[in-house]
Amino acid sequence: KEIAMDIKKSLRIAMAQTGITQKEIAESTGTSQPHISRIKTLGSCNTEFLEKLSAALGMPVSEFIKLGE
């Protein structure tokens, strides 16, 4: 069974719930705001960055992924 993972939706919902901005996520993850914007638009990132992203939003990866289901 394939698991659908909508990172765009997860990120959008997590940011709305937490009030954390793209700039704040970028600073927490050690990347640029345009990189976060790309992830929010394209919906793709590697597993390592997914872990950083979830941590920046204060939630486990599993919870982050569930937001997009």
Side-chain angles (χ1 to χ4, degrees):
K1 182 184 174 190
E2 190 175 316
I3 298 170
M5 184 167 59
D6 188 341
I7 294 173
K8 290 187 289 190
K9 183 177 178 184
S10 294
L11 185 54
R12 191 174 64 250
I13 292 170
M15 288 177 66
Q17 286 180 352
T18 62
I20 297 173
T21 66
Q22 288 184 27
K23 185 176 189 284
E24 290 168 326
I25 294 169
E27 289 169 358
S28 294
T29 57
T31 192
S32 65
Q33 182 275 324
H35 183 221
I36 301 302
S37 182
R38 256 192 318 280
I39 292 169
K40 199 173 174 188
T41 302
L42 301 175
S44 73
C45 67
N46 63 35
T47 305
E48 183 183 341
F49 196 78
L50 182 60
E51 291 170 2
K52 289 180 182 181
L53 195 55
S54 298
L57 290 159
M59 61 184 66
V61 173
S62 59
E63 187 179 327
F64 178 78
I65 291 169
K66 277 187 179 178
L67 290 175
E69 289 178 348

